[in-house]
Amino acid sequence: MEYCLQTRHLGKRYRHFRALDDLNMNIEKGAIYGLIGRNGAGKTTLIRLICGLQNPTEGSFLLYGADSRNQRAMCEVRRRMGAVVETPSIYLGMSAQENVRRQYELLGRPDDSGAAELLRYVGLSGTGNKKAKDFSLGMRQRLGIAIALAGNPDFIVLDEPVNGLDPQGIVEIRELILKLNREMHITVLISSHILGELSKLATHYGFIDKGRLIKEISAADLEAACRKCLRVTVSDVTVLSRILQQKHLDYRIRSDSEADIYSPVSISSLAMALAGEGVDLIRALEQDEDLETYYINLIGGGAAC
């Protein structure tokens, strides 16, 4: 197995606060790796360490085999990286083409003839002299990705790339990420709190909580692990809960009217038991556990944000 990035007992401490704690991560070459965790879990801290914006206080990481403690090797291998961290680093008073050409200058690339093709690839070829300050959020995000691609990376890091975008902008960024991965064979590390969108992209997942990576799993293994359930809607979920406990069934209450039942159950017998208690069974639908439910169950509750 060839890895693009591996972290080894990586830690980051700010005085008495431990933002990352003994974190071990493995990102396969060619993957779209979805990093999932609530606010403050350590996602952005991890990304900043990988990108060289901060230094770890414990442990190390390997980027294409180069050890982070070897500054010379790391400086060389980071040329293979591109990143959009928190917000796109763009000059608002410049056009898209001027922004990309400025990035070429910063990278020491004398030939900027590829700028037009790069903008076409991210869907910004028709912006002309329009200033970036007049771009939509989605256009700015795509410009940030174009700038990250200016060095011809084969690994790109995206921190919340669809945050604040409208549905059309989200679709455009999703299609662009898939295109980068499938056509240009770029490995992608992407953090996002929009789990439904991430599930349409990722080939692998890493779940982070309180600075620790608590689970790594491939999309295929996650799909196999997600349990099917019967989602029922009733007029009184308290009574439903008591009946399910009496039957020793595995279940989870979703709201004051809904519950997911994971154990095999006869709908007719359940309806009769509820009717005997004066409770209506309003609806019963088979469901597959989704990414958000898997995450919440994994960390023991809380929102994925």
Side-chain angles (χ1 to χ4, degrees):
M1 187 70 66
E2 186 175 359
Y3 293 100
C4 171
L5 174 71
Q6 293 179 284
T7 70
R8 295 175 170 176
H9 309 292
L10 196 63
K12 181 63 178 179
R13 186 197 301 268
Y14 301 97
R15 294 190 178 180
H16 301 296
F17 174 67
R18 190 179 288 275
L20 291 180
D21 185 14
D22 194 32
L23 189 141
N24 295 284
M25 167 189 281
N26 301 279
I27 300 180
E28 295 179 20
K29 184 178 179 181
I32 299 179
Y33 189 104
L35 183 62
I36 298 173
R38 69 184 92 196
N39 288 336
K43 301 189 302 295
T44 298
T45 299
L46 173 61
I47 286 172
R48 292 180 69 85
L49 296 185
I50 294 167
C51 294
L53 301 175
Q54 293 180 346
N55 294 317
T57 47
E58 296 102 21
S60 62
F61 61 89
L62 297 177
L63 183 61
Y64 284 107
D67 195 305
S68 60
R69 294 167 294 189
N70 185 331
Q71 293 186 2
R72 177 176 293 182
M74 189 55 50
C75 182
E76 183 65 28
V77 80
R78 276 208 175 101
R79 297 177 183 271
R80 302 175 64 178
M81 279 187 66
V84 181
V85 182
E86 296 178 299
T87 57
S89 299
I90 60 179
Y91 296 96
L92 297 177
M94 292 184 178
S95 68
Q97 189 151 356
E98 288 170 337
N99 266 281
V100 174
R101 285 176 173 169
R102 175 59 60 88
Q103 183 66 12
Y104 279 0
E105 292 174 5
L106 293 174
L107 293 172
R109 295 183 59 182
D111 182 7
D112 61 6
S113 60
E117 175 61 21
L118 192 53
L119 291 174
R120 184 201 65 76
Y121 199 82
V122 301
L124 294 175
S125 58
T127 55
N129 294 322
K130 185 177 182 178
K131 304 301 183 186
K133 64 182 179 181
D134 298 319
F135 285 6
S136 67
L137 286 177
M139 292 170 68
R140 291 185 188 182
Q141 195 64 257
R142 282 183 280 140
L143 177 55
I145 293 174
I147 291 170
L149 294 172
N152 291 326
D154 45 24
F155 177 44
I156 190 167
V157 179
L158 303 174
D159 187 16
E160 300 284 359
V162 299
N163 196 25
L165 301 188
D166 60 23
Q168 180 61 34
I170 290 174
V171 170
E172 290 171 351
I173 294 297
R174 180 210 310 160
E175 292 178 348
L176 176 57
I177 292 171
L178 289 171
K179 188 164 67 168
L180 294 175
N181 180 254
R182 294 170 180 174
E183 296 180 4
M184 299 180 69
H185 308 293
I186 293 176
T187 304
V188 183
L189 169 60
I190 174 173
S191 75
S192 179
H193 68 280
I194 305 178
L195 301 191
E197 184 60 30
L198 195 58
S199 67
K200 299 173 184 176
L201 287 167
T203 62
H204 296 76
Y205 299 97
F207 298 89
I208 186 172
D209 190 48
K210 298 178 182 177
R212 284 181 170 267
L213 197 74
I214 56 176
K215 183 77 172 181
E216 275 190 321
I217 190 169
S218 71
D221 287 343
L222 176 63
E223 184 177 353
C226 282
R227 296 183 294 172
K228 292 187 177 183
C229 69
L230 182 71
R231 181 164 298 170
V232 295
T233 305
V234 297
S235 58
D236 189 333
V237 77
T238 303
V239 173
L240 172 66
S241 177
R242 186 173 72 248
I243 291 173
L244 295 177
Q245 287 180 28
Q246 291 171 353
K247 292 178 177 291
H248 305 289
L249 299 179
D250 184 13
Y251 72 96
R252 183 174 71 90
I253 301 299
R254 291 178 53 86
S255 69
D256 58 2
S257 63
E258 281 190 336
D260 289 340
I261 305 173
Y262 297 103
S263 302
V265 61
S266 167
I267 297 177
S268 59
S269 64
L270 179 62
M272 290 177 61
L274 288 168
E277 298 279 353
V279 176
D280 295 327
L281 176 59
I282 300 169
R283 185 169 53 247
L285 298 172
E286 288 190 350
Q287 297 282 334
D288 288 332
E289 188 178 36
D290 58 14
L291 177 60
E292 182 174 0
T293 306
Y294 181 88
Y295 166 75
I296 291 172
N297 290 337
L298 184 66
I299 68 167
C305 60

Short mmCIF file of all heavy atoms in Angstrom, two decimals, residues 46-79:
data_model
loop_
_atom_site.label_atom_id
_atom_site.label_comp_id
_atom_site.label_asym_id
_atom_site.label_seq_id
_atom_site.Cartn_x
_atom_site.Cartn_y
_atom_site.Cartn_z
N LEU A 46 -4.92 20.02 12.52
CA LEU A 46 -4.23 18.97 11.78
C LEU A 46 -3.84 19.45 10.39
O LEU A 46 -2.69 19.26 9.95
CB LEU A 46 -5.12 17.74 11.67
CG LEU A 46 -4.62 16.60 10.77
CD1 LEU A 46 -3.30 16.05 11.29
CD2 LEU A 46 -5.66 15.50 10.67
N ILE A 47 -4.75 20.12 9.71
CA ILE A 47 -4.47 20.61 8.36
C ILE A 47 -3.36 21.64 8.38
O ILE A 47 -2.47 21.65 7.51
CB ILE A 47 -5.76 21.17 7.73
CG1 ILE A 47 -6.69 20.01 7.35
CG2 ILE A 47 -5.46 22.03 6.51
CD1 ILE A 47 -8.07 20.44 6.89
N ARG A 48 -3.37 22.51 9.37
CA ARG A 48 -2.32 23.55 9.46
C ARG A 48 -0.95 22.92 9.71
O ARG A 48 0.06 23.42 9.20
CB ARG A 48 -2.67 24.56 10.56
CG ARG A 48 -3.89 25.41 10.22
CD ARG A 48 -4.23 26.40 11.33
NE ARG A 48 -3.22 27.44 11.42
CZ ARG A 48 -3.20 28.54 10.69
NH1 ARG A 48 -4.14 28.76 9.78
NH2 ARG A 48 -2.26 29.44 10.84
N LEU A 49 -0.89 21.85 10.49
CA LEU A 49 0.39 21.17 10.71
C LEU A 49 0.89 20.53 9.41
O LEU A 49 2.07 20.65 9.07
CB LEU A 49 0.24 20.09 11.78
CG LEU A 49 -0.10 20.53 13.21
CD1 LEU A 49 -0.08 19.32 14.14
CD2 LEU A 49 0.84 21.61 13.71
N ILE A 50 0.00 19.86 8.71
CA ILE A 50 0.38 19.19 7.46
C ILE A 50 0.90 20.19 6.43
O ILE A 50 1.86 19.92 5.71
CB ILE A 50 -0.82 18.41 6.90
CG1 ILE A 50 -1.19 17.26 7.83
CG2 ILE A 50 -0.52 17.88 5.49
CD1 ILE A 50 -2.54 16.65 7.51
N CYS A 51 0.26 21.36 6.40
CA CYS A 51 0.63 22.39 5.42
C CYS A 51 1.83 23.22 5.84
O CYS A 51 2.26 24.11 5.09
CB CYS A 51 -0.57 23.30 5.15
SG CYS A 51 -1.95 22.47 4.34
N GLY A 52 2.35 22.98 7.04
CA GLY A 52 3.53 23.72 7.49
C GLY A 52 3.23 25.08 8.06
O GLY A 52 4.15 25.89 8.27
N LEU A 53 1.96 25.36 8.34
CA LEU A 53 1.59 26.65 8.92
C LEU A 53 1.84 26.69 10.42
O LEU A 53 1.92 27.76 11.01
CB LEU A 53 0.11 26.95 8.62
CG LEU A 53 -0.26 27.01 7.14
CD1 LEU A 53 -1.76 27.18 6.95
CD2 LEU A 53 0.49 28.14 6.45
N GLN A 54 1.93 25.52 11.03
CA GLN A 54 2.29 25.38 12.43
C GLN A 54 3.15 24.13 12.58
O GLN A 54 3.18 23.28 11.69
CB GLN A 54 1.04 25.27 13.32
CG GLN A 54 0.20 26.52 13.38
CD GLN A 54 -1.02 26.36 14.27
OE1 GLN A 54 -1.38 25.25 14.66
NE2 GLN A 54 -1.66 27.47 14.61
N ASN A 55 3.83 24.03 13.72
CA ASN A 55 4.67 22.87 13.99
C ASN A 55 4.06 22.01 15.09
O ASN A 55 3.47 22.53 16.04
CB ASN A 55 6.07 23.31 14.43
CG ASN A 55 6.81 24.02 13.31
OD1 ASN A 55 6.77 23.59 12.17
ND2 ASN A 55 7.49 25.11 13.65
N PRO A 56 4.18 20.70 14.96
CA PRO A 56 3.66 19.83 16.03
C PRO A 56 4.51 19.95 17.28
O PRO A 56 5.69 20.30 17.23
CB PRO A 56 3.77 18.43 15.42
CG PRO A 56 4.83 18.54 14.38
CD PRO A 56 4.76 19.93 13.84
N THR A 57 3.90 19.66 18.43
CA THR A 57 4.65 19.62 19.68
C THR A 57 5.03 18.19 20.06
O THR A 57 5.91 17.99 20.88
CB THR A 57 3.82 20.26 20.82
OG1 THR A 57 2.49 19.74 20.80
CG2 THR A 57 3.76 21.76 20.66
N GLU A 58 4.35 17.23 19.46
CA GLU A 58 4.70 15.81 19.65
C GLU A 58 4.51 15.08 18.33
O GLU A 58 3.72 15.46 17.49
CB GLU A 58 3.82 15.13 20.72
CG GLU A 58 3.96 15.68 22.12
CD GLU A 58 2.81 16.59 22.48
OE1 GLU A 58 1.75 16.50 21.85
OE2 GLU A 58 2.98 17.43 23.38
N GLY A 59 5.27 14.01 18.18
CA GLY A 59 5.11 13.14 17.03
C GLY A 59 5.60 13.75 15.73
O GLY A 59 6.31 14.77 15.72
N SER A 60 5.23 13.13 14.63
CA SER A 60 5.69 13.58 13.31
C SER A 60 4.72 13.04 12.26
O SER A 60 3.74 12.36 12.58
CB SER A 60 7.10 13.06 13.03
OG SER A 60 7.11 11.63 13.03
N PHE A 61 5.01 13.36 11.00
CA PHE A 61 4.23 12.79 9.90
C PHE A 61 5.12 12.59 8.70
O PHE A 61 6.20 13.20 8.58
CB PHE A 61 3.02 13.67 9.55
CG PHE A 61 3.36 15.07 9.10
CD1 PHE A 61 3.60 15.36 7.77
CD2 PHE A 61 3.42 16.12 10.02
CE1 PHE A 61 3.89 16.65 7.35
CE2 PHE A 61 3.72 17.41 9.62
CZ PHE A 61 3.95 17.68 8.28
N LEU A 62 4.69 11.69 7.83
CA LEU A 62 5.39 11.41 6.59
C LEU A 62 4.54 11.91 5.43
O LEU A 62 3.36 11.56 5.33
CB LEU A 62 5.63 9.91 6.43
CG LEU A 62 6.51 9.22 7.46
CD1 LEU A 62 6.56 7.72 7.18
CD2 LEU A 62 7.92 9.81 7.46
N LEU A 63 5.13 12.72 4.59
CA LEU A 63 4.46 13.20 3.38
C LEU A 63 5.21 12.64 2.19
O LEU A 63 6.37 12.98 1.96
CB LEU A 63 4.47 14.73 3.35
CG LEU A 63 3.74 15.41 2.19
CD1 LEU A 63 2.25 15.05 2.20
CD2 LEU A 63 3.92 16.93 2.27
N TYR A 64 4.58 11.70 1.48
CA TYR A 64 5.24 10.97 0.40
C TYR A 64 6.58 10.41 0.86
O TYR A 64 7.58 10.45 0.14
CB TYR A 64 5.40 11.84 -0.84
CG TYR A 64 4.11 12.01 -1.60
CD1 TYR A 64 3.41 13.21 -1.57
CD2 TYR A 64 3.58 10.97 -2.35
CE1 TYR A 64 2.22 13.36 -2.26
CE2 TYR A 64 2.40 11.11 -3.05
CZ TYR A 64 1.72 12.31 -3.01
OH TYR A 64 0.54 12.45 -3.70
N GLY A 65 6.61 9.91 2.09
CA GLY A 65 7.80 9.26 2.62
C GLY A 65 8.79 10.19 3.28
O GLY A 65 9.71 9.73 3.96
N ALA A 66 8.64 11.51 3.10
CA ALA A 66 9.56 12.47 3.72
C ALA A 66 9.11 12.75 5.15
O ALA A 66 7.92 13.00 5.40
CB ALA A 66 9.61 13.76 2.92
N ASP A 67 10.05 12.71 6.09
CA ASP A 67 9.74 12.91 7.50
C ASP A 67 9.63 14.40 7.79
O ASP A 67 10.47 15.20 7.38
CB ASP A 67 10.84 12.29 8.37
CG ASP A 67 10.43 12.13 9.81
OD1 ASP A 67 10.01 13.14 10.43
OD2 ASP A 67 10.52 11.00 10.33
N SER A 68 8.58 14.78 8.52
CA SER A 68 8.35 16.19 8.84
C SER A 68 9.48 16.80 9.66
O SER A 68 9.65 18.03 9.69
CB SER A 68 7.03 16.35 9.60
OG SER A 68 7.05 15.62 10.81
N ARG A 69 10.30 15.95 10.32
CA ARG A 69 11.41 16.47 11.12
C ARG A 69 12.63 16.80 10.27
O ARG A 69 13.58 17.42 10.75
CB ARG A 69 11.78 15.45 12.19
CG ARG A 69 10.68 15.25 13.24
CD ARG A 69 10.89 14.04 14.10
NE ARG A 69 10.79 12.80 13.32
CZ ARG A 69 10.75 11.59 13.85
NH1 ARG A 69 10.80 11.45 15.18
NH2 ARG A 69 10.67 10.51 13.10
N ASN A 70 12.59 16.41 9.00
CA ASN A 70 13.66 16.72 8.06
C ASN A 70 13.21 17.93 7.23
O ASN A 70 12.49 17.79 6.25
CB ASN A 70 13.93 15.52 7.16
CG ASN A 70 15.13 15.73 6.23
OD1 ASN A 70 15.44 16.85 5.84
ND2 ASN A 70 15.78 14.64 5.86
N GLN A 71 13.63 19.12 7.63
CA GLN A 71 13.12 20.34 7.01
C GLN A 71 13.46 20.43 5.53
O GLN A 71 12.64 20.88 4.72
CB GLN A 71 13.67 21.57 7.75
CG GLN A 71 13.14 21.70 9.17
CD GLN A 71 13.58 22.99 9.82
OE1 GLN A 71 14.26 23.83 9.22
NE2 GLN A 71 13.20 23.17 11.08
N ARG A 72 14.65 19.99 5.16
CA ARG A 72 15.04 20.08 3.76
C ARG A 72 14.17 19.17 2.89
O ARG A 72 13.66 19.59 1.85
CB ARG A 72 16.52 19.72 3.58
CG ARG A 72 16.98 19.71 2.14
CD ARG A 72 18.46 19.45 2.02
NE ARG A 72 19.24 20.56 2.56
CZ ARG A 72 20.58 20.60 2.53
NH1 ARG A 72 21.27 19.58 2.01
NH2 ARG A 72 21.21 21.63 3.05
N ALA A 73 13.99 17.93 3.34
CA ALA A 73 13.16 16.99 2.59
C ALA A 73 11.71 17.45 2.55
O ALA A 73 11.03 17.34 1.52
CB ALA A 73 13.25 15.60 3.21
N MET A 74 11.23 18.00 3.67
CA MET A 74 9.85 18.46 3.72
C MET A 74 9.62 19.66 2.81
O MET A 74 8.58 19.76 2.14
CB MET A 74 9.49 18.81 5.17
CG MET A 74 8.02 19.09 5.42
SD MET A 74 6.87 17.78 4.91
CE MET A 74 7.60 16.33 5.67
N CYS A 75 10.58 20.54 2.74
CA CYS A 75 10.48 21.71 1.86
C CYS A 75 10.36 21.25 0.41
O CYS A 75 9.58 21.82 -0.37
CB CYS A 75 11.69 22.61 2.05
SG CYS A 75 11.64 24.12 1.05
N GLU A 76 11.09 20.23 0.06
CA GLU A 76 11.06 19.73 -1.32
C GLU A 76 9.74 19.03 -1.63
O GLU A 76 9.14 19.26 -2.69
CB GLU A 76 12.23 18.75 -1.53
CG GLU A 76 12.35 18.22 -2.94
CD GLU A 76 12.67 19.29 -3.96
OE1 GLU A 76 13.29 20.31 -3.60
OE2 GLU A 76 12.28 19.10 -5.13
N VAL A 77 9.29 18.18 -0.71
CA VAL A 77 8.10 17.38 -1.00
C VAL A 77 6.82 18.22 -0.94
O VAL A 77 5.82 17.87 -1.58
CB VAL A 77 8.01 16.18 -0.03
CG1 VAL A 77 7.46 16.57 1.32
CG2 VAL A 77 7.20 15.05 -0.64
N ARG A 78 6.84 19.32 -0.21
CA ARG A 78 5.65 20.17 -0.15
C ARG A 78 5.36 20.85 -1.50
O ARG A 78 4.27 21.39 -1.68
CB ARG A 78 5.78 21.23 0.95
CG ARG A 78 5.40 20.69 2.33
CD ARG A 78 4.88 21.78 3.25
NE ARG A 78 4.42 21.19 4.50
CZ ARG A 78 5.12 21.20 5.62
NH1 ARG A 78 6.32 21.76 5.65
NH2 ARG A 78 4.62 20.65 6.72
N ARG A 79 6.29 20.80 -2.40
CA ARG A 79 6.02 21.30 -3.74
C ARG A 79 4.95 20.45 -4.43
O ARG A 79 4.35 20.89 -5.41
CB ARG A 79 7.31 21.28 -4.59
CG ARG A 79 8.41 22.20 -4.07
CD ARG A 79 9.67 22.07 -4.91
NE ARG A 79 10.76 22.89 -4.38
CZ ARG A 79 10.98 24.15 -4.74
NH1 ARG A 79 10.19 24.72 -5.63
NH2 ARG A 79 11.98 24.83 -4.21
#
